[in-house]
Coordinates of all heavy atoms in Angstrom, one line a residue:
M1 N 45.1 -4.1 68.5 CA 44.2 -5.1 67.9 C 44.0 -4.7 66.4 O 43.9 -3.6 66.1 CB 42.9 -5.3 68.6 CG 43.0 -5.8 70.0 SD 41.4 -5.9 70.8 CE 40.9 -7.6 70.2
E2 N 43.7 -5.8 65.6 CA 43.4 -5.5 64.2 C 41.9 -5.3 64.0 O 41.1 -5.8 64.9 CB 43.8 -6.7 63.3 CG 45.2 -7.1 63.4 CD 46.2 -6.1 62.7 OE1 45.7 -5.4 61.7 OE2 47.3 -5.8 63.2
E3 N 41.5 -4.6 63.0 CA 40.1 -4.5 62.7 C 39.3 -5.8 62.7 O 38.2 -5.9 63.1 CB 39.8 -3.7 61.4 CG 38.4 -3.1 61.3 CD 38.0 -2.8 59.8 OE1 38.8 -3.2 59.0 OE2 37.0 -2.2 59.6
R4 N 40.0 -6.8 62.1 CA 39.3 -8.1 62.0 C 39.0 -8.8 63.3 O 38.3 -9.7 63.4 CB 40.1 -9.0 61.0 CG 41.5 -9.5 61.6 CD 42.1 -10.5 60.7 NE 43.5 -10.9 61.2 CZ 44.5 -10.3 60.7 NH1 44.5 -9.4 59.9 NH2 45.7 -10.6 61.3
D5 N 39.7 -8.3 64.3 CA 39.4 -8.9 65.7 C 38.1 -8.4 66.2 O 37.6 -9.0 67.1 CB 40.5 -8.5 66.6 CG 41.9 -9.1 66.4 OD1 41.9 -10.2 65.9 OD2 42.9 -8.4 66.6
F6 N 37.6 -7.3 65.6 CA 36.2 -6.9 66.0 C 35.1 -7.6 65.4 O 34.0 -7.5 65.8 CB 36.0 -5.4 65.6 CG 37.1 -4.5 66.2 CD1 37.3 -3.1 65.8 CD2 37.9 -4.9 67.3 CE1 38.1 -2.3 66.4 CE2 38.8 -4.0 67.9 CZ 38.9 -2.7 67.4
F7 N 35.3 -8.4 64.4 CA 34.3 -9.0 63.6 C 34.3 -10.4 63.4 O 35.4 -11.0 63.4 CB 34.3 -8.4 62.2 CG 34.1 -6.8 62.1 CD1 35.2 -6.0 62.0 CD2 32.8 -6.2 62.2 CE1 35.1 -4.6 61.9 CE2 32.7 -4.9 62.2 CZ 33.8 -4.0 62.1
D8 N 33.1 -11.1 63.3 CA 33.1 -12.5 62.8 C 32.9 -12.3 61.3 O 31.9 -11.7 60.8 CB 31.9 -13.2 63.5 CG 32.1 -13.5 64.9 OD1 33.3 -13.8 65.3 OD2 31.3 -13.2 65.7
E9 N 33.7 -12.9 60.5 CA 33.7 -12.8 59.1 C 33.2 -14.1 58.4 O 33.5 -15.3 58.7 CB 35.2 -12.7 58.7 CG 35.3 -12.0 57.3 CD 36.8 -11.7 57.0 OE1 37.1 -10.6 57.3 OE2 37.4 -12.6 56.5
R10 N 32.2 -14.0 57.5 CA 31.9 -15.1 56.6 C 31.3 -14.7 55.3 O 30.9 -13.5 55.1 CB 30.9 -16.0 57.4 CG 29.5 -15.4 57.6 CD 28.6 -16.4 58.2 NE 27.3 -15.8 58.4 CZ 26.3 -16.5 58.8 NH1 26.3 -17.8 59.0 NH2 25.1 -15.9 58.9
T11 N 31.3 -15.6 54.4 CA 30.8 -15.3 53.0 C 29.4 -15.7 52.9 O 29.0 -16.8 53.3 CB 31.7 -16.0 52.0 OG1 33.1 -15.7 52.2 CG2 31.2 -15.7 50.6
E12 N 28.5 -14.8 52.4 CA 27.1 -15.0 52.3 C 26.7 -14.6 50.8 O 27.1 -13.7 50.4 CB 26.2 -14.3 53.2 CG 26.4 -14.8 54.7 CD 25.6 -13.9 55.6 OE1 24.7 -13.1 55.2 OE2 25.8 -14.0 56.8
P13 N 25.8 -15.5 50.2 CA 25.2 -15.1 48.9 C 24.0 -14.2 49.1 O 23.3 -14.4 50.1 CB 24.8 -16.4 48.3 CG 24.5 -17.3 49.4 CD 25.4 -16.8 50.6
R14 N 23.9 -13.2 48.3 CA 22.7 -12.4 48.4 C 22.1 -12.1 47.0 O 22.9 -12.0 46.1 CB 22.9 -11.0 48.9 CG 23.3 -11.1 50.5 CD 23.2 -9.9 51.2 NE 23.5 -10.1 52.5 CZ 22.8 -9.6 53.6 NH1 21.9 -8.7 53.4 NH2 23.1 -10.0 54.9
N15 N 20.8 -12.2 46.8 CA 20.2 -12.0 45.5 C 20.0 -10.6 45.1 O 19.7 -9.7 45.9 CB 18.8 -12.7 45.5 CG 19.0 -14.2 45.7 OD1 20.0 -14.8 45.2 ND2 18.1 -14.8 46.2
H16 N 20.4 -10.3 43.8 CA 20.2 -9.0 43.2 C 19.6 -9.1 41.9 O 20.0 -10.0 41.1 CB 21.6 -8.4 43.0 CG 22.4 -8.2 44.4 ND1 22.4 -6.9 45.0 CD2 23.1 -9.0 45.1 CE1 23.1 -7.0 46.1 NE2 23.5 -8.2 46.2
M17 N 18.7 -8.2 41.6 CA 18.2 -8.1 40.3 C 19.2 -7.3 39.4 O 19.5 -6.2 39.7 CB 16.9 -7.4 40.2 CG 15.7 -8.1 40.8 SD 15.5 -9.8 40.1 CE 14.8 -9.3 38.5
L18 N 19.7 -8.0 38.3 CA 20.7 -7.3 37.4 C 20.2 -7.4 36.0 O 19.5 -8.3 35.6 CB 22.0 -8.1 37.6 CG 22.7 -8.1 38.8 CD1 23.9 -9.0 38.9 CD2 23.1 -6.6 39.4
T19 N 20.6 -6.4 35.2 CA 20.3 -6.5 33.9 C 21.6 -6.5 33.0 O 22.5 -5.8 33.2 CB 19.6 -5.0 33.4 OG1 18.4 -4.9 34.2 CG2 19.2 -5.1 32.0
C20 N 21.6 -7.5 32.1 CA 22.8 -7.7 31.3 C 22.9 -6.6 30.3 O 21.9 -6.4 29.6 CB 22.7 -9.1 30.6 SG 23.9 -9.3 29.4
P21 N 24.0 -6.0 30.2 CA 24.2 -4.9 29.2 C 24.3 -5.4 27.7 O 24.1 -4.6 26.8 CB 25.4 -4.2 29.7 CG 26.3 -5.2 30.4 CD 25.2 -6.1 30.9
H22 N 24.5 -6.7 27.6 CA 24.7 -7.2 26.2 C 23.4 -7.5 25.5 O 23.1 -7.2 24.4 CB 25.6 -8.4 26.3 CG 26.9 -8.2 26.8 ND1 27.8 -7.4 26.3 CD2 27.5 -8.6 28.0 CE1 29.0 -7.4 27.1 NE2 28.7 -8.1 28.2
C23 N 22.5 -8.2 26.3 CA 21.2 -8.6 25.8 C 20.0 -7.9 26.4 O 18.9 -8.1 25.9 CB 21.0 -10.2 25.9 SG 20.9 -10.7 27.6
G24 N 20.2 -7.2 27.5 CA 19.1 -6.4 28.1 C 18.2 -7.2 29.0 O 17.2 -6.7 29.5
K25 N 18.5 -8.4 29.3 CA 17.6 -9.3 30.0 C 17.9 -9.2 31.5 O 19.0 -9.2 31.9 CB 17.8 -10.8 29.6 CG 16.7 -11.7 30.1 CD 16.9 -13.1 29.7 CE 15.7 -14.0 30.0 NZ 15.6 -14.1 31.5
Q26 N 16.8 -8.9 32.2 CA 16.9 -8.8 33.7 C 16.7 -10.1 34.3 O 15.8 -10.9 34.0 CB 15.9 -7.8 34.2 CG 16.2 -7.3 35.6 CD 15.1 -6.4 36.1 OE1 14.0 -6.6 36.1 NE2 15.6 -5.2 36.6
D27 N 17.6 -10.4 35.4 CA 17.4 -11.7 36.1 C 17.9 -11.6 37.4 O 18.6 -10.5 37.8 CB 18.1 -12.8 35.4 CG 17.4 -14.2 35.5 OD1 16.8 -14.4 36.6 OD2 17.4 -14.9 34.5
E28 N 17.6 -12.5 38.3 CA 18.1 -12.5 39.7 C 19.5 -13.2 39.7 O 19.6 -14.5 39.3 CB 17.1 -13.1 40.6 CG 17.4 -12.8 42.1 CD 16.2 -13.3 43.0 OE1 15.9 -14.5 42.9 OE2 15.6 -12.4 43.5
Y29 N 20.4 -12.6 40.4 CA 21.8 -13.2 40.6 C 22.2 -13.3 42.0 O 22.0 -12.3 42.7 CB 22.8 -12.4 39.8 CG 22.6 -12.5 38.3 CD1 21.8 -11.6 37.7 CD2 23.4 -13.4 37.5 CE1 21.6 -11.6 36.3 CE2 23.2 -13.4 36.2 CZ 22.3 -12.5 35.5 OH 22.1 -12.6 34.2
A30 N 22.7 -14.5 42.4 CA 23.1 -14.5 43.8 C 24.7 -14.1 43.7 O 25.6 -14.8 43.2 CB 23.1 -16.0 44.3
L31 N 24.9 -12.9 44.4 CA 26.3 -12.5 44.5 C 26.9 -12.8 45.8 O 26.2 -12.9 46.8 CB 26.3 -10.9 44.3 CG 25.7 -10.4 43.0 CD1 25.8 -8.9 42.9 CD2 26.3 -11.1 41.7
S32 N 28.2 -13.0 45.8 CA 28.8 -13.3 47.0 C 29.4 -12.1 47.8 O 30.1 -11.2 47.3 CB 30.1 -14.2 46.6 OG 30.9 -14.5 47.7
W33 N 29.0 -12.0 49.0 CA 29.4 -10.9 49.9 C 30.2 -11.4 51.1 O 30.0 -12.5 51.6 CB 28.2 -10.3 50.5 CG 27.4 -9.4 49.5 CD1 26.4 -10.0 48.6 CD2 27.4 -8.1 49.2 NE1 25.8 -8.9 47.9 CE2 26.4 -7.7 48.2 CE3 28.1 -7.0 49.9 CZ2 26.2 -6.4 47.8 CZ3 27.9 -5.7 49.5 CH2 27.0 -5.4 48.4
L34 N 31.3 -10.7 51.4 CA 32.0 -10.9 52.5 C 31.3 -10.1 53.7 O 31.4 -8.9 53.7 CB 33.4 -10.4 52.4 CG 34.4 -10.8 53.6 CD1 34.5 -12.3 53.8 CD2 35.7 -10.1 53.4
V35 N 30.7 -10.8 54.7 CA 30.0 -10.2 55.8 C 30.7 -10.2 57.0 O 31.3 -11.1 57.5 CB 28.6 -10.9 56.0 CG1 27.8 -10.2 57.1 CG2 27.8 -10.9 54.7
R36 N 30.9 -8.9 57.6 CA 31.7 -8.9 58.8 C 30.7 -8.3 59.9 O 30.3 -7.2 59.9 CB 32.9 -7.7 58.6 CG 34.0 -8.3 57.8 CD 35.2 -7.5 58.0 NE 36.3 -8.2 57.2 CZ 36.9 -7.7 56.2 NH1 36.6 -6.5 55.8 NH2 38.0 -8.3 55.7
R37 N 30.3 -9.2 60.8 CA 29.4 -8.8 61.9 C 30.2 -8.6 63.1 O 31.0 -9.4 63.5 CB 28.4 -10.0 62.1 CG 27.4 -10.1 61.0 CD 26.0 -10.7 61.5 NE 25.0 -10.5 60.5 CZ 24.9 -11.2 59.4 NH1 25.7 -12.2 59.2 NH2 24.0 -11.0 58.5
K38 N 29.8 -7.5 63.7 CA 30.6 -7.1 65.0 C 30.3 -8.1 66.0 O 29.2 -8.5 66.3 CB 29.9 -5.7 65.4 CG 30.7 -5.1 66.5 CD 30.1 -3.7 66.7 CE 30.7 -3.1 68.0 NZ 30.1 -1.8 68.2
K39 N 31.4 -8.5 66.7 CA 31.3 -9.5 67.8 C 30.5 -8.9 69.0 O 30.5 -7.6 69.1 CB 32.7 -9.9 68.3 CG 33.5 -10.7 67.3 CD 34.8 -11.1 67.8 CE 35.4 -11.9 66.7 NZ 36.9 -12.3 67.1
S40 N 29.9 -9.7 69.8 CA 29.1 -9.2 70.9 C 29.9 -8.6 71.9 O 29.6 -7.6 72.6 CB 28.3 -10.4 71.4 OG 29.0 -11.4 71.8
Q41 N 31.3 -9.1 72.1 CA 32.2 -8.4 73.0 C 33.6 -8.7 72.5 O 33.9 -9.7 71.9 CB 32.0 -8.9 74.4 CG 32.2 -10.3 74.6 CD 31.8 -10.7 76.1 OE1 30.8 -10.4 76.6 NE2 32.7 -11.5 76.6
L42 N 34.5 -7.9 73.1 CA 35.9 -8.1 72.7 C 36.6 -9.0 73.8 O 36.0 -9.2 74.8 CB 36.7 -6.7 72.8 CG 36.5 -5.8 71.6 CD1 37.2 -4.5 72.0 CD2 37.1 -6.4 70.4
N43 N 37.6 -9.7 73.2 CA 38.3 -10.6 74.2 C 39.2 -9.9 75.2 O 39.3 -8.6 75.1 CB 39.0 -11.7 73.5 CG 40.1 -11.2 72.6 OD1 40.7 -10.2 72.9 ND2 40.5 -11.8 71.5
G44 N 39.9 -10.5 76.1 CA 40.6 -9.9 77.3 C 41.7 -9.0 76.8 O 42.0 -8.1 77.6
R45 N 42.3 -9.1 75.7 CA 43.5 -8.3 75.5 C 43.3 -7.1 74.9 O 44.3 -6.3 74.5 CB 44.6 -9.1 74.7 CG 44.0 -9.5 73.3 CD 44.9 -10.6 72.7 NE 44.5 -11.1 71.4 CZ 44.6 -10.5 70.2 NH1 45.4 -9.4 70.2 NH2 44.1 -10.9 69.2
A46 N 42.1 -6.6 74.8 CA 41.7 -5.2 74.4 C 42.1 -4.2 75.4 O 41.8 -4.3 76.5 CB 40.2 -5.2 74.1
D47 N 42.7 -3.1 74.9 CA 43.0 -2.0 75.8 C 41.9 -1.0 75.6 O 41.0 -1.1 74.9 CB 44.4 -1.5 75.6 CG 44.6 -0.9 74.2 OD1 43.6 -0.6 73.5 OD2 45.8 -0.8 73.8
E48 N 42.1 0.2 76.3 CA 41.1 1.3 76.3 C 40.8 1.8 74.9 O 39.7 2.1 74.4 CB 41.5 2.4 77.2 CG 40.5 3.2 77.8 CD 41.0 4.1 79.0 OE1 41.4 3.5 79.9 OE2 40.9 5.3 78.8
R49 N 41.9 2.0 74.1 CA 41.8 2.5 72.7 C 41.1 1.4 71.8 O 40.3 1.9 71.1 CB 43.3 2.7 72.2 CG 43.4 3.7 71.1 CD 44.8 3.9 70.7 NE 45.5 2.8 70.4 CZ 45.6 2.4 69.1 NH1 45.3 3.1 68.1 NH2 46.3 1.3 68.8
D50 N 41.4 0.1 72.0 CA 40.7 -0.9 71.2 C 39.2 -0.8 71.6 O 38.3 -1.0 70.7 CB 41.2 -2.3 71.6 CG 42.7 -2.5 71.1 OD1 43.0 -1.9 70.0 OD2 43.3 -3.2 71.7
R51 N 38.8 -0.6 72.9 CA 37.5 -0.6 73.2 C 36.7 0.6 72.6 O 35.6 0.4 72.2 CB 37.3 -0.7 74.7 CG 37.3 -2.1 75.3 CD 36.9 -2.1 76.8 NE 38.1 -1.8 77.6 CZ 38.9 -2.6 78.0 NH1 39.0 -3.9 77.8 NH2 39.9 -2.1 78.8
A52 N 37.3 1.7 72.6 CA 36.7 2.9 72.0 C 36.5 2.6 70.5 O 35.5 3.0 69.9 CB 37.7 4.1 72.2
R53 N 37.5 2.1 69.8 CA 37.3 1.7 68.3 C 36.2 0.7 68.2 O 35.4 0.8 67.3 CB 38.7 1.2 67.8 CG 39.6 2.3 67.5 CD 41.0 1.7 67.2 NE 41.0 0.8 66.1 CZ 41.9 -0.3 65.9 NH1 42.7 -0.7 66.8 NH2 41.8 -1.0 64.8
F54 N 36.2 -0.3 69.0 CA 35.2 -1.3 68.9 C 33.8 -0.7 69.2 O 32.9 -1.1 68.5 CB 35.4 -2.4 70.0 CG 34.5 -3.6 69.9 CD1 34.5 -4.4 68.9 CD2 33.4 -3.7 71.0 CE1 33.5 -5.5 68.8 CE2 32.6 -4.7 70.9 CZ 32.6 -5.7 69.8
A55 N 33.6 0.3 70.1 CA 32.4 0.9 70.3 C 31.8 1.5 69.1 O 30.6 1.6 68.8 CB 32.4 1.8 71.5
K56 N 32.7 2.0 68.2 CA 32.3 2.8 67.1 C 32.1 1.9 65.9 O 31.6 2.3 64.8 CB 33.4 3.9 66.6 CG 33.1 5.1 67.5 CD 34.0 6.3 67.1 CE 35.3 6.4 67.9 NZ 36.2 7.4 67.4
A57 N 32.7 0.7 66.0 CA 32.6 -0.2 64.8 C 31.2 -0.7 64.4 O 30.4 -0.8 65.3 CB 33.5 -1.4 65.1
L58 N 30.9 -0.8 63.1 CA 29.7 -1.1 62.6 C 29.8 -2.4 61.8 O 30.7 -2.5 61.1 CB 29.0 -0.1 61.8 CG 28.7 1.3 62.5 CD1 28.2 2.2 61.5 CD2 27.4 1.1 63.5
S59 N 28.8 -3.3 61.9 CA 28.8 -4.4 60.9 C 28.6 -4.0 59.6 O 27.9 -3.0 59.3 CB 27.7 -5.4 61.3 OG 27.7 -5.8 62.7
Y60 N 29.3 -4.6 58.7 CA 29.1 -4.3 57.3 C 29.5 -5.4 56.4 O 29.9 -6.5 56.8 CB 30.1 -3.1 56.9 CG 31.5 -3.3 57.0 CD1 32.3 -3.6 55.9 CD2 32.3 -3.3 58.2 CE1 33.7 -3.8 55.8 CE2 33.6 -3.6 58.3 CZ 34.4 -3.8 57.1 OH 35.7 -4.1 57.1
M61 N 29.2 -5.2 55.1 CA 29.5 -6.2 54.1 C 30.1 -5.6 52.9 O 29.9 -4.6 52.5 CB 28.3 -7.1 53.9 CG 27.2 -6.4 53.2 SD 25.8 -7.5 52.9 CE 24.8 -6.5 51.8
V62 N 30.9 -6.5 52.2 CA 31.7 -6.0 51.0 C 31.5 -7.1 49.9 O 31.5 -8.3 50.0 CB 33.2 -5.9 51.3 CG1 34.0 -5.4 50.1 CG2 33.5 -5.1 52.5
L63 N 31.1 -6.5 48.8 CA 30.9 -7.3 47.5 C 32.1 -8.0 47.1 O 33.3 -7.3 46.9 CB 30.3 -6.5 46.5 CG 29.9 -7.3 45.2 CD1 28.7 -8.2 45.5 CD2 29.4 -6.2 44.1
R64 N 32.2 -9.3 47.0 CA 33.4 -10.0 46.5 C 33.5 -10.2 45.0 O 34.5 -10.2 44.4 CB 33.5 -11.4 47.2 CG 33.6 -11.3 48.7 CD 33.7 -12.7 49.3 NE 35.0 -13.3 49.0 CZ 35.2 -14.6 48.7 NH1 34.2 -15.4 48.6 NH2 36.4 -15.1 48.4
D65 N 32.3 -10.4 44.4 CA 32.2 -10.6 43.0 C 32.4 -9.2 42.3 O 31.9 -8.2 42.8 CB 30.9 -11.2 42.6 CG 30.7 -12.6 43.1 OD1 31.7 -13.3 43.3 OD2 29.5 -13.1 43.2
D66 N 33.0 -9.2 41.1 CA 33.0 -8.1 40.3 C 32.5 -8.2 38.9 O 32.3 -7.3 38.2 CB 34.3 -7.3 40.3 CG 35.5 -8.3 39.9 OD1 35.2 -9.4 39.5 OD2 36.7 -7.8 39.9
V67 N 32.1 -9.5 38.6 CA 31.6 -9.8 37.3 C 30.5 -10.8 37.5 O 30.5 -11.6 38.5 CB 32.5 -10.2 36.2 CG1 33.4 -9.1 35.7 CG2 33.3 -11.5 36.6
A68 N 29.5 -10.8 36.6 CA 28.5 -11.9 36.7 C 28.4 -12.5 35.3 O 28.7 -11.7 34.2 CB 27.1 -11.3 37.1
A69 N 27.9 -13.8 35.2 CA 27.8 -14.3 33.9 C 26.3 -14.4 33.5 O 25.5 -14.8 34.3 CB 28.3 -15.7 33.8
C70 N 25.9 -13.8 32.5 CA 24.5 -13.7 32.0 C 23.8 -15.0 32.1 O 24.4 -16.1 31.6 CB 24.5 -13.1 30.6 SG 22.7 -12.8 30.1
K71 N 22.5 -15.1 32.5 CA 21.9 -16.3 32.6 C 21.1 -16.7 31.4 O 20.6 -17.8 31.3 CB 20.8 -16.3 33.8 CG 21.5 -16.4 35.2 CD 20.3 -16.4 36.3 CE 20.9 -16.6 37.6 NZ 19.9 -16.6 38.6
N72 N 21.0 -15.7 30.5 CA 20.4 -15.9 29.3 C 21.2 -16.9 28.4 O 22.3 -16.6 28.0 CB 20.1 -14.6 28.5 CG 19.5 -14.8 27.1 OD1 19.3 -15.8 26.7 ND2 19.2 -13.6 26.6
I73 N 20.6 -18.1 28.1 CA 21.4 -19.1 27.4 C 21.8 -18.7 26.1 O 22.8 -19.3 25.5 CB 20.7 -20.6 27.4 CG1 19.3 -20.4 26.8 CG2 20.7 -21.2 28.8 CD1 18.7 -21.7 26.4
R74 N 21.2 -17.8 25.5 CA 21.5 -17.3 24.1 C 22.6 -16.2 24.2 O 23.1 -15.7 23.2 CB 20.3 -16.8 23.4 CG 19.4 -17.9 22.9 CD 18.3 -17.4 22.0 NE 17.5 -16.4 22.6 CZ 16.4 -16.7 23.3 NH1 16.1 -18.0 23.5 NH2 15.7 -15.7 23.8
C75 N 23.0 -15.8 25.4 CA 23.9 -14.7 25.6 C 25.2 -15.2 26.4 O 26.3 -15.4 25.8 CB 23.2 -13.5 26.4 SG 24.4 -12.2 26.7
R76 N 25.0 -15.5 27.6 CA 26.1 -16.1 28.5 C 27.3 -15.3 28.6 O 28.3 -15.7 29.0 CB 26.4 -17.4 27.9 CG 25.5 -18.5 28.0 CD 25.5 -19.2 29.3 NE 24.6 -20.3 29.4 CZ 24.2 -21.0 30.5 NH1 24.7 -20.5 31.7 NH2 23.5 -22.0 30.5
K77 N 27.1 -13.9 28.3 CA 28.4 -13.1 28.4 C 28.6 -12.6 29.9 O 27.6 -12.6 30.6 CB 28.2 -11.8 27.4 CG 28.3 -12.2 26.0 CD 28.2 -10.9 25.1 CE 28.5 -11.3 23.7 NZ 27.6 -10.6 22.8
R78 N 29.7 -12.3 30.1 CA 30.1 -11.8 31.4 C 30.0 -10.2 31.4 O 30.2 -9.6 30.4 CB 31.6 -12.1 31.8 CG 31.6 -13.6 32.1 CD 33.1 -14.1 32.1 NE 33.8 -13.7 33.2 CZ 33.9 -14.4 34.3 NH1 33.2 -15.5 34.4 NH2 34.6 -14.0 35.4
F79 N 29.5 -9.7 32.5 CA 29.4 -8.3 32.6 C 29.8 -7.7 33.9 O 29.7 -8.4 34.9 CB 27.9 -7.7 32.2 CG 26.9 -8.3 33.0 CD1 26.4 -7.6 34.2 CD2 26.3 -9.5 32.6 CE1 25.4 -8.1 34.9 CE2 25.2 -10.1 33.4 CZ 24.8 -9.3 34.5
D80 N 30.3 -6.5 34.0 CA 30.8 -5.9 35.2 C 29.6 -5.6 36.1 O 28.5 -5.2 35.7 CB 31.6 -4.6 34.9 CG 32.9 -4.8 34.3 OD1 33.4 -6.0 34.5 OD2 33.4 -3.9 33.5
L81 N 29.9 -5.6 37.5 CA 28.7 -5.3 38.4 C 28.9 -3.8 38.8 O 28.8 -3.5 40.0 CB 28.9 -6.2 39.6 CG 28.8 -7.7 39.3 CD1 29.1 -8.5 40.6 CD2 27.4 -8.0 38.7
N82 N 28.9 -2.9 37.9 CA 29.1 -1.5 38.1 C 27.9 -0.9 38.8 O 28.0 0.0 39.6 CB 29.3 -0.7 36.8 CG 30.6 -1.1 36.1 OD1 31.5 -1.4 36.8 ND2 30.6 -1.1 34.8
G83 N 26.7 -1.4 38.6 CA 25.5 -0.8 39.2 C 25.2 -1.3 40.6 O 24.3 -0.8 41.3
V84 N 26.0 -2.2 41.1 CA 25.8 -2.7 42.5 C 26.6 -2.0 43.5 O 27.9 -1.8 43.3 CB 26.1 -4.2 42.5 CG1 25.8 -4.8 43.9 CG2 25.3 -5.0 41.5
K85 N 26.0 -1.6 44.5 CA 26.8 -0.9 45.6 C 27.8 -2.0 46.2 O 27.4 -3.2 46.4 CB 25.8 -0.6 46.7 CG 26.1 0.8 47.3 CD 24.9 1.3 48.1 CE 24.7 0.4 49.3 NZ 23.9 1.0 50.4
T86 N 29.1 -1.6 46.4 CA 30.0 -2.6 46.7 C 30.3 -2.8 48.2 O 31.0 -3.6 48.6 CB 31.4 -2.3 46.0 OG1 31.7 -1.0 46.3 CG2 31.3 -2.5 44.5
M87 N 29.7 -1.9 48.9 CA 29.8 -1.9 50.4 C 28.6 -1.5 51.0 O 27.9 -0.4 50.5 CB 31.0 -1.1 50.7 CG 31.5 -1.3 52.1 SD 30.7 -0.2 53.3 CE 31.9 -0.1 54.7
A88 N 28.1 -2.1 52.1 CA 26.9 -1.7 52.8 C 27.1 -2.0 54.3 O 27.6 -3.0 54.7 CB 25.7 -2.4 52.2
F89 N 26.5 -1.1 55.1 CA 26.4 -1.3 56.5 C 25.3 -2.2 56.9 O 24.2 -2.1 56.2 CB 26.5 0.0 57.4 CG 27.8 0.7 57.4 CD1 28.0 1.8 56.5 CD2 28.8 0.2 58.1 CE1 29.2 2.5 56.5 CE2 30.1 0.9 58.1 CZ 30.2 1.9 57.4
L90 N 25.3 -3.0 58.0 CA 24.3 -3.8 58.4 C 23.6 -3.3 59.6 O 24.3 -2.5 60.4 CB 24.8 -5.2 58.6 CG 25.5 -5.9 57.5 CD1 26.1 -7.2 58.0 CD2 24.4 -6.3 56.4
D91 N 22.4 -3.6 59.9 CA 21.8 -3.2 61.1 C 22.4 -3.8 62.4 O 22.7 -4.9 62.4 CB 20.3 -3.4 61.0 CG 19.6 -2.8 59.8 OD1 20.1 -1.7 59.4 OD2 18.6 -3.4 59.4
Ligands
ZN101 ZN1 23.1 -11.3 28.4

């Protein structure tokens, strides 16, 4: 089985406070995350090895965006999301 068979996958926006490096203005940005939530159970074709891997699997999310566009109308520049953690485990 593939790792993706262990998870339900969807895209979710999450808000982050970010500071534009060009103008220094802080604002809230909705960034796009790919959220992989562990399924409640595996389907029938899982073998013993798959079940062992599934037992250890954790829900997690990966940041999809790598740049943001500044919300300051006098700036509007794009900047890298270097300060944002790009991967996080979920409870
Ligand atoms: Zn800016």
Side-chain angles (χ1 to χ4, degrees):
M1 293 180 86
E2 303 289 329
E3 196 203 7
R4 66 170 176 271
D5 295 326
F6 298 169
F7 300 99
D8 291 316
E9 194 175 272
R10 65 176 185 174
T11 303
E12 289 179 14
R14 292 194 178 227
N15 291 333
H16 297 262
M17 289 303 291
L18 300 173
T19 304
C20 173
H22 304 291
C23 66
K25 193 173 184 302
Q26 194 180 53
D27 213 324
E28 195 171 61
Y29 293 84
L31 303 182
S32 173
W33 290 81
L34 184 66
V35 178
R36 291 197 170 115
R37 284 208 169 77
K38 191 177 172 177
K39 290 180 176 176
S40 51
Q41 59 183 50
L42 280 176
N43 64 28
R45 59 196 177 85
D47 62 19
E48 211 168 292
R49 205 172 59 97
D50 291 329
R51 274 191 282 273
R53 281 166 64 210
F54 181 71
K56 276 190 264 179
L58 294 169
S59 302
Y60 67 100
M61 60 183 194
V62 183
L63 185 63
R64 297 181 71 218
D65 293 333
D66 53 8
V67 290
C70 181
K71 285 185 175 177
N72 179 355
I73 52 166
R74 289 189 298 275
C75 175
R76 293 273 189 197
K77 287 184 177 136
R78 290 160 76 83
F79 58 92
D80 292 337
L81 300 176
N82 294 328
V84 182
K85 227 167 60 163
T86 53
M87 192 269 199
F89 286 103
L90 303 169
D91 302 328

